[in-house]
């Protein structure tokens, strides 16, 4: 059977409320993050991810207060990300009650941050999030490559998905959270081919993100994409797929879920 697959609702938080967009833009409100967290915890979600998507300095305090409230409210592990640039940020969020931190832009800019977090707090605390987009190369016969992006998908880097994920693992990341920007919010299914390549070449868990639209997409990401966990937002926030119903469906499909 292998390890049980995890279902992870993701809450993007802006100005203290949960928001959801499509392809990283056009945000709309989806409710209070603490209340949504409480609901998902009761429904049987395995973990939660909270991302401070506009982690500007002034909002840090708001977000930390929210993390404290979440920790007092739910009894499942949760990861927080957004604006984490140094060990002091990690310490602040862990002290507020988070179980893990997710780093993205800061790790691309300064990969040593992964080593530092793994050394100080343990690999299990360090989730490296990778936002990547499949981009065609200039030459007509060129293959498309998966380019990594910074700043919430706004800035393309020289790094490519597979080599960067491998380096993150070598530096001590405990998990990779891969979001396909091409699939984000489109609800046409996850990037299963890329996920399978990640899962089959790395030894740490791969969390799939971007593309969930129906229960079958979750089945496919586990069977075809070999993902260890599937993360989604809008299908949960707007009540399209209740977590208990999804888990029951996956069990019926022969997938080991908690």
């Amino acid at each position: 059977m292998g390890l049980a697959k995890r279902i992870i609702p993701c809450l993007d938080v802006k100005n203290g409320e949960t928001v959801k967009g499509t392809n990283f833009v056009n945000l709309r409100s989806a409710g209070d993050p603490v209340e949504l967290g409480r609901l998902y915890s009761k429904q049987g979600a395995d973990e939660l991810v909270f991302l401070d998507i506009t982690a500007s300095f002034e909002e840090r305090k708001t977000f930390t207060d929210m993390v404290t409230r979440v920790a007092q409210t739910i009894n499942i592990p949760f990861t927080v990300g957004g604006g984490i640039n140094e060990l002091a940020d990690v310490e602040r969020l862990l002290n507020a009650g988070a179980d893990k931190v997710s780093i993205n832009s800061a790790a691309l800019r300064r990969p040593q941050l992964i080593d530092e977090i793994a050394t100080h707090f343990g690999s299990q605390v360090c989730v490296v999030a990778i936002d990547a987009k499949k981009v065609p190369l200039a030459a007509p016969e060129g293959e498309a490559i998966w380019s990594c992006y910074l700043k919430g998908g706004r800035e393309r880097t020289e790094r490519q998905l597979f080599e960067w994920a491998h380096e993150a693992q070598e530096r001590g990341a405990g998990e990779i959270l891969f979001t396909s920007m091409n699939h984000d919010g489109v609800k046409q299914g996850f990037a299963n081919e890329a996920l399978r390549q990640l899962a089959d070449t790395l030894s740490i868990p791969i969390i799939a993100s971007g593309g969930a639209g129906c229960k079958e997409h979750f089945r496919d990401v586990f069977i075809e994409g070999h993902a260890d966990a599937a993360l989604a937002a809008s299908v949960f926030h707007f009540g399209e797929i209740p977590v208990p119903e999804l888990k029951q469906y996956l069990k019926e499909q022969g997938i080991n879920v908690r």
Side-chain angles (χ1 to χ4, degrees):
M1 286 284 272
L3 284 175
K5 303 296 187 181
R6 290 172 286 152
I7 299 298
I8 307 178
C10 177
L11 299 92
D12 289 343
V13 180
K14 182 182 182 185
N15 304 327
E17 67 171 7
T18 311
V19 293
K20 181 63 194 121
T22 303
N23 299 122
F24 283 49
V25 292
N26 303 327
L27 301 177
R28 58 178 174 146
S29 175
D32 175 60
V34 182
E35 282 310 308
L36 276 172
R38 186 202 307 266
L39 171 70
Y40 295 139
S41 178
K42 274 166 62 177
Q43 283 187 347
D46 299 299
E47 294 182 22
L48 297 172
V49 171
F50 293 87
L51 297 176
D52 183 358
I53 62 166
T54 50
S56 62
F57 187 69
E58 315 77 66
E59 287 168 22
R60 288 278 178 88
K61 189 171 172 351
T62 315
F63 189 72
T64 309
D65 291 346
M66 185 214 75
V67 171
T68 306
R69 282 165 49 226
V70 168
Q72 291 163 348
T73 305
I74 70 171
N75 56 6
I76 56 174
F78 70 101
T79 301
V80 293
I84 295 170
N85 296 302
E86 55 186 12
L87 287 179
D89 296 326
V90 180
E91 193 155 9
R92 173 171 52 83
L93 293 164
L94 294 178
N95 286 342
D99 297 276
K100 310 179 205 179
V101 296
S102 164
I103 54 172
N104 188 335
S105 301
L108 278 162
R109 289 196 198 98
R110 195 172 70 82
Q112 296 81 353
L113 182 60
I114 302 170
D115 308 66
E116 291 167 8
I117 295 172
T119 304
H120 280 79
F121 303 106
S123 285
Q124 80 286 348
V125 161
C126 186
V127 178
V128 172
I130 304 178
D131 296 336
K133 187 191 272 185
K134 200 169 189 181
V135 215
L137 290 176
E141 68 286 342
E143 281 287 296
I145 56 163
W146 283 95
S147 283
C148 299
Y149 281 70
L150 293 166
K151 295 183 182 169
R154 287 188 279 277
E155 192 180 299
R156 188 176 169 185
T157 71
E158 295 296 305
R159 302 304 301 258
Q160 290 181 33
L161 169 64
F162 301 107
E163 52 95 7
W164 171 230
H166 189 266
E167 181 179 330
Q169 172 177 281
E170 294 305 296
R171 286 182 177 276
E175 295 178 274
I176 298 290
L177 164 54
F178 163 50
T179 301
S180 163
M181 292 170 61
N182 308 72
H183 296 71
D184 177 67
V186 182
K187 301 190 177 179
Q188 298 295 311
F190 292 90
N192 290 327
E193 212 174 292
L195 283 159
R196 185 169 60 245
Q197 193 174 331
L198 284 171
D200 292 354
T201 53
L202 298 181
S203 57
I204 57 177
I206 306 298
I207 304 168
S209 164
C214 62
K215 288 180 278 198
E216 289 75 13
H217 292 154
F218 288 90
R219 173 198 65 197
D220 295 346
V221 79
F222 293 133
I223 293 174
E224 294 167 25
H226 298 180
D228 297 277
L231 176 145
S234 56
V235 292
F236 297 138
H237 301 340
F238 302 116
E240 294 160 43
I241 306 178
V243 174
E245 201 179 288
L246 173 60
K247 287 196 154 187
Q248 185 54 40
Y249 166 81
L250 291 170
K251 278 181 188 151
E252 287 162 9
Q253 298 296 311
I255 293 163
N256 182 16
V257 290
R258 294 177 188 176

